[in-house]
């Protein structure tokens, strides 16, 4: 069965600090997809990234970067030079290849203080 | 504007009453989903639909029902059989194509409170 673990439940940092959000997944599939979503206080989830299991290249988008390592079943998310607007709950999720069903981790609440 | 709308934003219900949550999308997405979120928990899938007039149970379907009569609409009914309905409900939609596993886009959510 699929499982996504976000071991950190809550992190608090000061603005401009770098922060890494951990995500570990369990799957028996060879084809699968991993996602990160951001949930700001308004409640709506915002899609950040999708990565398939055959693409282990790291990705950078502005201050955001993602490190996918199949050897450790991890898909970690780093925010560089954090800002107050980054304060949100972040979810990692997994889906099997060919399935539209997402399995979410429990989320990690990030608070960035000025 | 393209997107997903959910109404109402806040909903209060007396115990024993059924209540229907609305979800509409104008993204021309084939697939739609309902999730439930409890404090400190991830999202859990209630029901999903990949095509009009068809839907499947998710992980926690008991006490809920859905319909998909139109591509744009996927209402969720929380019945009196749902033992602990107070939660935040999120609707989502996604494209369906041969690559599969497309990202889901979410609505703003409905917070349901049972009094």
């Amino acid at each position: 069965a699929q499982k996504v673990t976000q071991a950190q439940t809550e992190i608090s940092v000061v603005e401009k600090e770098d922060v890494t959000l951990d995500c570990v997944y369990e799957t028996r599939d060879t084809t699968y997809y991993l996602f990160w979503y951001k949930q700001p206080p308004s409640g709506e989830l915002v899609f950040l990234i999708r990565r398939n299991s055959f693409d282990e290249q790291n990705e950078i988008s502005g201050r955001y970067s993602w490190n996918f390592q199949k050897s450790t079943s991890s898909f970690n998310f780093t925010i560089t030079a954090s800002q107050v607007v980054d304060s949100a709950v972040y979810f990692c999720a997994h889906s099997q290849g060919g399935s539209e069903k997402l399995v979410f981790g429990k989320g990690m609440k990030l608070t960035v203080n000025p | 504007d393209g997107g997903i709308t959910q109404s109402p934003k806040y909903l209060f219900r007396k115990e024993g009453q059924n209540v229907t949550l609305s979800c509409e999308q104008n993204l021309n997405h084939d697939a739609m989903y309902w999730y439930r979120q409890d404090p400190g928990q991830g999202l859990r899938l209630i029901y999903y639909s990949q095509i009009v007039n068809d839907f499947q149970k998710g992980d926690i379907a008991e006490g809920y029902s859905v319909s998909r009569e139109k591509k744009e609409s996927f209402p969720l009914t929380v019945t009196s059989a749902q033992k602990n309905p107070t939660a935040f409900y999120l609707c989502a939609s996604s494209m369906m194509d041969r690559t599969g596993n497309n990202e889901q886009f979410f609505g703003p959510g409905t917070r349901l409170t049972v009094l």
Side-chain angles (χ1 to χ4, degrees):
Chain A
Q2 308 161 67
K3 185 178 177 182
V4 176
T5 301
Q6 295 180 254
Q8 310 142 308
T9 54
E10 202 163 340
I11 294 179
S12 185
V13 300
V14 177
E15 218 171 6
K16 297 184 183 175
E17 279 187 51
D18 299 346
V19 58
T20 296
L21 287 58
D22 298 331
C23 174
V24 174
Y25 61 93
E26 294 177 29
T27 184
R28 292 181 182 176
D29 307 303
T30 52
T31 303
Y32 55 88
Y33 291 77
L34 299 166
F35 302 79
W36 275 96
Y37 283 87
K38 174 182 179 179
Q39 186 179 39
S42 59
E44 183 173 337
L45 265 74
V46 177
F47 165 76
L48 295 178
I49 190 171
R50 177 184 70 158
R51 175 64 87 221
N52 75 55
S53 52
F54 300 108
D55 182 3
E56 280 192 80
Q57 277 193 333
N58 290 336
E59 173 119 359
I60 298 174
S61 176
R63 296 184 296 105
Y64 294 173
S65 61
W66 290 269
N67 183 352
F68 177 25
Q69 293 198 346
K70 287 174 78 169
S71 60
T72 56
S73 297
S74 66
F75 187 43
N76 296 338
F77 173 31
T78 297
I79 301 174
T80 303
S82 59
Q83 299 177 1
V84 173
V85 292
D86 296 326
S87 298
V89 179
Y90 291 87
F91 291 96
C92 181
H94 169 286
S95 66
Q96 292 176 288
S99 169
E100 302 299 322
K101 293 175 63 175
L102 283 176
V103 173
F104 283 85
K106 292 191 176 182
M108 199 287 298
K109 182 178 180 181
L110 173 65
T111 302
V112 181
N113 297 300
Chain B
D1 273 19
I4 301 175
T5 56
Q6 291 186 243
S7 60
K9 190 171 176 66
Y10 298 96
L11 188 57
F12 298 90
R13 186 194 96 176
K14 291 183 180 178
E15 259 188 77
Q17 287 181 337
N18 291 357
V19 63
T20 297
L21 282 59
S22 166
C23 177
E24 305 275 332
Q25 55 99 0
N26 60 5
L27 300 168
N28 199 32
H29 286 169
D30 292 298
M32 296 187 74
Y33 314 80
W34 274 105
Y35 292 91
R36 169 181 172 138
Q37 184 179 16
D38 294 284
Q41 300 292 316
L43 279 66
R44 292 182 290 168
L45 183 64
I46 305 172
Y47 269 99
Y48 65 105
S49 167
Q50 296 177 314
I51 194 169
V52 173
N53 292 323
D54 188 42
F55 46 83
Q56 287 78 41
K57 292 182 179 180
D59 301 316
I60 55 165
E62 187 175 346
Y64 299 98
S65 65
V66 293
S67 62
R68 187 88 186 274
E69 296 176 3
K70 298 186 301 181
K71 187 176 183 179
E72 302 79 23
S73 178
F74 191 41
L76 173 75
T77 297
V78 184
T79 75
S80 55
Q82 169 48 235
K83 303 225 181 300
N84 186 18
T86 294
F88 187 51
Y89 291 88
L90 284 156
C91 178
S93 70
S94 69
M95 287 176 57
M96 295 275 298
D97 57 32
R98 60 182 179 82
T99 64
N101 302 94
N102 290 302
E103 58 270 28
Q104 295 179 16
F105 293 87
F106 284 79
T110 292
R111 193 166 297 280
L112 172 64
T113 302
V114 173
L115 304 171

